[in-house]
Amino acid sequence: MPAANRSDRSICSREIQAGADIEPTAQQSQLFVKLSRMSAAVEFRIGTASWTDASLVNSDLFYPPSVRSAEERLRFYAEHFNTVEVDSTYYALPAERNAKLWAERTPEGFLFNIKTFALMTQHAAEISWLPKELREMLPAEQRTERHLTRPSREVVDLAFRMFWSAMVPLREAGKLGMVAFQFPPYFIAKPLNFDYLASLPQRLPGASIAIEFRHPSWVRGEAQRAETMKFLRSHSLYYTSIDAPEDNSIVPSFVEATGDQVYMRFHGRNRDNWFRRNITPAERFKYLYSERELQSLARGLQNLEGRGVKRAYVIFNNCYQNFGIMNATTMAAILRGRGQWP
């Protein structure tokens, strides 16, 4: 993993914070001139997966000491980036009240990409975190278990409806970006799972849906990859491109467009931690990209021009301390230096 000592990270953090005393409206205006203006083909949205990760908050390398509340952190984050991925919605269904507060606390044009609840991607869900309406639908024997692994169709359908209803404030404010589905490694390429994907647009009408696979069967071999991409295009689903460690059991890293938007997640390249058990997500994705690696990755993003792509989300999921913050800031500078942003 590229080395980065604490002093280097602190310097980067202070540079990011240097504009904190600027009048917020002026700073936000400057930010969106830099981050939201686009080349003739692509508008880049660059940010991180979460602004509240404990590893980031506790590091004291991004948020100033005076920024302590959830509201203050979101407002501060939105002064520096024009998009974010919300991952907490994977663990518990979002509340409409929270979505309303997110919309109120961010400037016009800011976009939230919302990760879907576990049951919506065929993951197990913590029963204690389920809303009352869902818990009451479970058979008595299931309610005593820790995880819900085999929900009924009715439970899943209600989860979809509750999720989409909670997104109303963001949708009405024009601040909902992608709805991100991350499927588990056991969700393999087979007819039943293709059918499940095909059902998503009807369940979330009007959503921009990004699909991330964690099993390589969806893209292994040229023929299968072509079939999967054709299927996603035909159902108006966006393939989630990734950058991740190389391994036969991991989906390969490449940039693909199945529509006029691209969603790309940078997971880091920490192969050892990818397979390690009983560690936090921050530890699993503990990887700081070097500037040389980011330069190479930026070339892949630039190749989206001429492919009909209007917007590309660039999300750094290497959420250890301020690693994602640093890499997102550097990627923005690289693209700006190459003329991607006027």
Side-chain angles (χ1 to χ4, degrees):
M1 175 182 142
N5 60 43
R6 182 179 177 86
S7 62
D8 289 340
R9 298 198 300 272
S10 298
I11 290 171
C12 181
S13 181
R14 289 196 297 272
E15 288 175 347
I16 292 172
Q17 296 176 24
D21 295 330
I22 298 175
E23 178 68 21
T25 55
Q27 185 173 6
Q28 290 165 0
S29 175
Q30 182 184 41
L31 170 76
F32 281 92
V33 167
K34 291 179 178 179
L35 296 187
S36 295
R37 289 177 65 184
M38 63 187 80
S39 68
V42 184
E43 171 197 2
F44 284 100
R45 294 281 181 152
I46 301 177
T48 63
S50 176
W51 70 92
T52 59
D53 188 87
S55 178
L56 171 63
V57 172
N58 296 333
S59 71
D60 295 325
L61 295 174
F62 178 54
Y63 296 112
S66 60
V67 174
R68 304 184 64 84
S69 70
E71 176 178 354
E72 291 170 334
R73 291 188 184 111
L74 179 54
R75 290 188 185 277
F76 183 82
Y77 175 95
E79 292 174 0
H80 299 285
F81 300 100
N82 59 8
T83 195
V84 74
E85 181 182 276
V86 181
D87 289 347
S88 61
T89 47
Y90 166 79
Y91 301 98
L93 276 166
E96 185 172 338
R97 178 181 178 275
N98 286 342
K100 185 174 184 293
L101 291 174
W102 295 339
E104 292 173 349
R105 294 170 178 177
T106 49
E108 183 178 354
F110 189 90
L111 293 177
F112 290 87
N113 307 290
I114 310 296
K115 200 167 182 181
T116 53
F117 181 50
L119 294 183
M120 298 165 65
T121 50
Q122 302 186 16
H123 286 87
E126 289 267 359
I127 290 179
S128 61
W129 288 17
L130 293 177
K132 179 182 177 181
E133 297 92 327
L134 292 182
R135 289 201 307 273
E136 290 179 344
M137 295 176 66
L138 304 181
E141 61 272 16
Q142 277 191 328
R143 297 181 197 178
T144 61
E145 298 176 358
R146 180 178 177 183
H147 294 100
L148 178 59
T149 57
R150 296 182 180 275
S152 67
R153 172 63 184 263
E154 292 74 21
V155 167
V156 174
D157 286 345
L158 181 55
F160 267 90
R161 292 196 299 272
M162 294 177 71
F163 175 90
W164 198 226
S165 177
M167 294 296 102
V168 167
L170 291 178
R171 292 155 58 191
E172 291 181 343
K175 293 188 175 183
L176 180 61
M178 289 284 191
V179 176
F181 282 74
Q182 179 191 303
F183 287 95
Y186 48 82
F187 187 81
I188 64 173
K190 63 180 182 180
L192 186 65
N193 289 338
F194 274 102
D195 291 343
Y196 188 82
L197 294 175
S199 74
L200 299 181
Q202 184 176 1
R203 286 174 150 180
L204 302 176
S208 295
I209 298 174
I211 304 296
E212 180 176 0
F213 300 115
R214 286 294 177 91
H215 193 278
S217 62
W218 294 92
V219 294
R220 181 179 288 142
E222 291 184 10
Q224 181 61 61
R225 175 171 164 179
E227 179 186 350
T228 297
M229 299 307 156
K230 181 180 179 181
F231 176 88
L232 295 178
R233 290 187 187 95
S234 68
H235 290 85
S236 300
L237 299 170
Y238 299 99
Y239 177 74
T240 296
S241 303
I242 65 167
D243 185 78
E246 292 186 5
D247 189 89
N248 288 336
S249 65
I250 300 175
V251 173
S253 302
F254 59 89
V255 181
E256 183 60 84
T258 58
D260 62 359
Q261 298 184 79
V262 163
Y263 199 71
M264 184 162 188
R265 304 181 80 214
F266 291 80
H267 295 306
R269 299 172 177 179
N270 192 332
R271 186 180 180 279
D272 291 339
N273 281 12
W274 187 275
F275 297 105
R276 190 165 295 169
R277 295 178 178 271
N278 302 318
I279 62 174
T280 66
E283 293 171 317
R284 189 173 312 284
F285 302 117
K286 182 181 178 181
Y287 186 89
L288 183 65
Y289 288 93
S290 69
E291 184 170 350
R292 177 176 295 180
E293 287 172 321
L294 293 176
Q295 291 276 4
S296 176
L297 290 163
R299 285 192 288 273
L301 292 168
Q302 285 181 307
N303 290 336
L304 294 172
E305 292 187 15
R307 297 173 63 181
V309 175
K310 296 178 179 178
R311 175 182 291 165
Y313 294 91
V314 181
I315 303 297
F316 284 87
N317 190 39
N318 52 335
C319 50
Y320 182 80
Q321 295 189 355
N322 69 335
F323 285 14
I325 295 288
M326 292 176 67
N327 284 157
T329 303
T330 302
M331 178 64 83
I334 291 171
L335 292 173
R336 190 182 305 119
R338 292 182 178 183
Q340 293 300 122
W341 296 326

